[in-house]
C-alpha cells in the first residue's frame, strides 16, 4: 500500500480499531459473559445446604430427631444437638449456628430461633425447611428472630451494599492512580506515592460510607468506629490488589481486578443469599475474597457484637499486605528493567549535535 493510500485508509477510519484495541474488546466481552454466568449461577436457584441448626430436645428423642433433620433430602440442614436453649442462643449470637430448634417436651408446638441480621433469605429458608419437617411429624413450629435486622435494613442487605460500594471505590481509585501516569508503576517511589494516596483515600472513603449508612440513612447499626476501620481496610485491600495487578499486567490488570472483586466476589459475598444458600463454588470462594469477608464482618459488627470476625479480618489484611508488597515488587522489577536506558543521556537534537 502506498503512503498516499495508507493515509487515505487511516483518514477513512480504517485504522480506528487497532489490534490491541480488538484484544481488549474481546477481553471486555469475556468479562461481561463471566459476569452474567457468575451472577446467574449463584442466584438462579438458591437452596439451603448444610445450614447449621442447633437442636434442643429431650434426651430420649434428641438423637433420632437430629438424624432425621440431618438426613432430609438434599441435606439442607447440618443439625447438631446442644444441651439447652441458652447454649443454642449463645451459638447463634456468636455466629456458630444459623438457627436453633427448641422442642417442647410437653406439647407439639416447638420454637425455631433465627437471626435475621445474618440475612433474611437464610432465616426464611431455614424456617421453610424446618416447618415442613415438623409438619411431617404432626408438629408445628413458631419462629422467633433473636437477632433481627434493623428497621432501616430490609433483609439485612445494607451491609452488602455498603461493602460493594467500598470495593468499587477501591479498584476505581487504584485504576485512576495508575492510568493517570501510565498503566504500570515504573519506579518504587511512584508506587509508594500511589499507595500513600490510596491509604488516605481509604480512610476518607470508609468514613464517608459509614456516615451515609448511619446516621444519614439509619440503615445499619453497630459501632461507628469499628465500621469505619472496616471500610478503610476493605477499600485499601481492594485498591492495593488492583495496583499490584496493574503493576504486573498493565491495563489488563484492571479487568482482572474486576473479575475477582465484581464478577466472582459480589455474588459469592453472602449478601443477597448467605453462604448456606449458594452453590458449592461460590460458597467456597466467598469467604476468601474481599466482598465476602467485608460483608460478614459488617454484619457481625452491626448485629452480633463483633463476634466471629477474626478470620474475615485476616483475609482482608492478607489482601492488603499482599497487594502492597506485590505493588512495590512490580515497581522495583520495572525500575530495574528501565534502569540501563535511563542512565544513558540522550543526544541533543539539531545541527550542532
Amino acid at each position: 500500500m502506498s503512503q498516499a493510500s495508507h493515509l487515505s485508509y487511516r483518514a477513512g477510519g480504517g485504522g480506528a480499531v487497532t489490534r490491541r484495541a480488538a484484544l481488549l474488546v474481546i477481553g471486555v466481552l469475556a468479562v461481561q459473559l463471566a459476569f452474567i454466568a457468575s451472577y446467574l449461577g449463584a442466584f438462579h436457584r438458591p437452596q439451603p445446604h448444610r445450614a447449621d441448626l442447633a437442636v434442643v430436645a429431650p434426651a430420649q428423642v434428641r438423637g433420632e430427631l437430629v438424624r432425621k433433620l440431618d438426613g432430609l433430602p438434599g441435606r439442607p440442614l447440618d443439625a447438631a444437638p446442644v444441651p439447652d436453649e441458652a447454649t443454642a442462643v449463645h451459638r447463634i449470637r456468636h455466629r456458630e449456628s444459623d438457627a436453633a430448634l427448641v422442642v417442647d417436651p410437653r406439647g407439639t408446638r416447638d420454637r425455631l430461633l433465627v437471626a435475621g441480621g445474618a440475612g433474611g433469605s437464610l432465616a426464611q429458608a431455614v424456617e421453610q425447611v424446618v416447618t415442613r419437617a415438623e409438619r411431617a411429624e404432626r408438629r408445628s413450629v413458631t419462629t422467633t428472630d433473636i437477632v433481627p435486622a434493623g428497621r432501616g435494613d430490609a433483609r439485612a442487605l445494607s451491609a452488602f451494599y455498603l461493602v460493594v460500594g467500598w470495593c468499587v471505590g477501591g479498584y476505581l481509585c487504584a485504576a485512576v492512580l495508575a492510568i493517570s501516569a501510565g498503566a504500570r508503576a515504573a519506579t518504587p517511589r511512584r508506587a509508594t506515592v500511589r499507595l500513600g494516596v490510596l491509604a488516605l483515600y481509604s480512610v476518607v472513603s470508609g468514613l464517608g460510607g459509614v456516615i451515609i449508612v448511619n446516621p444519614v440513612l439509619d440503615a445499619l447499626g453497630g459501632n461507628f468506629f469499628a465500621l469505619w476501620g472496616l471500610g478503610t481496610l476493605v477499600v485499601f485491600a481492594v485498591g492495593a490488589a488492583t495496583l499490584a495487578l496493574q503493576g504486573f499486567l498493565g491495563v489488563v490488570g484492571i479487568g482482572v481486578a474486576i473479575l475477582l472483586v465484581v464478577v466472582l466476589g459480589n455474588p459469592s459475598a453472602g449478601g443477597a443469599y448467605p453462604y448456606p444458600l449458594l452453590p458449592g463454588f461460590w460458597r467456597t470462594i466467598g469467604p476468601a475474597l474481599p466482598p465476602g469477608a467485608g460483608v460478614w464482618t459488617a454484619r457481625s459488627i452491626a448485629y452480633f457484637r463483633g463476634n466471629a470476625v477474626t478470620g474475615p479480618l485476616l483475609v482482608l489484611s492478607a489482601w492488603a499486605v499482599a497487594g502492597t508488597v506485590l505493588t512495590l515488587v512490580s515497581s522495583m522489577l520495572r525500575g530495574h528493567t528501565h534502569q540501563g536506558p535511563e542512565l544513558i543521556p540522550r543526544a541533543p537534537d539539531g545541527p550542532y549535535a
Side-chain angles (χ1 to χ4, degrees):
M1 180 181 294
S2 66
Q3 184 175 2
S5 300
H6 178 71
L7 291 175
S8 175
Y9 173 77
R10 294 292 298 272
V17 179
T18 64
R19 180 179 301 176
R20 182 170 179 267
L23 291 175
L24 289 174
V25 168
I26 293 174
V28 169
L29 177 61
V31 171
Q32 170 196 316
L33 296 179
F35 181 96
I36 296 171
S38 184
Y39 277 73
L40 288 180
F43 296 157
H44 79 289
R45 188 185 295 176
Q47 294 179 341
H49 177 79
R50 310 301 288 164
D52 195 293
L53 179 71
V55 178
V56 182
Q60 59 270 25
V61 300
R62 183 186 305 153
E64 180 64 21
L65 176 59
V66 168
R67 282 192 293 272
K68 286 184 178 180
L69 292 171
D70 209 36
L72 290 173
R75 308 299 295 274
L77 302 175
D78 184 8
V82 296
D84 50 44
E85 183 174 342
T87 302
V89 171
H90 179 274
R91 288 184 60 85
I92 293 175
R93 294 192 183 279
H94 284 74
R95 309 203 72 177
E96 297 170 1
S97 291
D98 299 309
L101 177 63
V102 182
V103 175
D104 183 358
R106 295 179 296 274
T108 61
R109 191 169 187 84
D110 303 327
R111 291 183 297 131
L112 178 67
L113 310 180
V114 299
S121 56
L122 176 59
Q124 182 179 6
V126 172
E127 180 181 12
Q128 292 173 349
V129 171
V130 172
T131 298
R132 288 195 298 266
E134 289 275 278
R135 189 180 300 120
E137 298 294 324
R138 294 184 173 85
R139 302 181 68 86
S140 60
V141 62
T142 58
T143 302
T144 302
D145 193 342
I146 64 172
V147 189
R151 290 183 301 174
D153 186 12
R155 300 183 71 79
L157 287 174
S158 295
F160 172 62
Y161 292 119
L162 175 62
V163 172
V164 166
W166 280 332
C167 290
V168 169
Y171 68 73
L172 285 182
C173 177
V176 169
L177 288 173
I179 65 177
S180 62
R184 297 173 188 259
T187 65
R189 180 180 178 277
R190 183 182 295 173
T192 302
V193 170
R194 288 176 178 176
L195 288 169
V197 173
L198 174 64
L200 178 61
Y201 174 86
S202 300
V203 173
V204 177
S205 176
L207 175 61
V210 178
I211 290 175
I212 291 172
V213 78
N214 189 28
V216 173
L217 297 179
D218 192 23
L220 192 68
N223 184 279
F224 182 93
F225 293 99
L227 284 174
W228 182 6
L230 171 64
T232 301
L233 180 56
V234 168
V235 175
F236 186 81
V238 173
T242 303
L243 285 176
L245 289 167
Q246 290 170 333
F248 284 102
L249 303 176
V251 176
V252 176
I254 299 175
V256 176
I258 293 174
L259 179 68
L260 290 173
V261 177
V262 179
V263 175
L264 295 177
N266 285 354
S268 66
Y273 297 111
Y275 295 140
L277 299 181
L278 294 175
F281 173 75
W282 290 267
R283 188 169 61 245
T284 300
I285 67 172
L289 296 174
V295 171
W296 178 279
T297 305
R299 282 176 173 164
S300 289
I301 293 172
Y303 298 119
F304 297 90
R305 303 178 182 177
N307 291 317
V309 299
T310 301
L313 288 178
L314 287 175
V315 168
L316 291 170
S317 299
W319 279 87
V321 172
T324 300
V325 171
L326 292 175
T327 297
L328 294 174
V329 169
S330 69
S331 69
M332 288 186 287
L333 292 175
R334 291 287 298 171
H336 178 73
T337 301
H338 290 97
Q339 184 175 8
E342 290 176 354
L343 293 177
I344 302 174
R346 182 179 177 182
D349 296 326
Y352 301 102

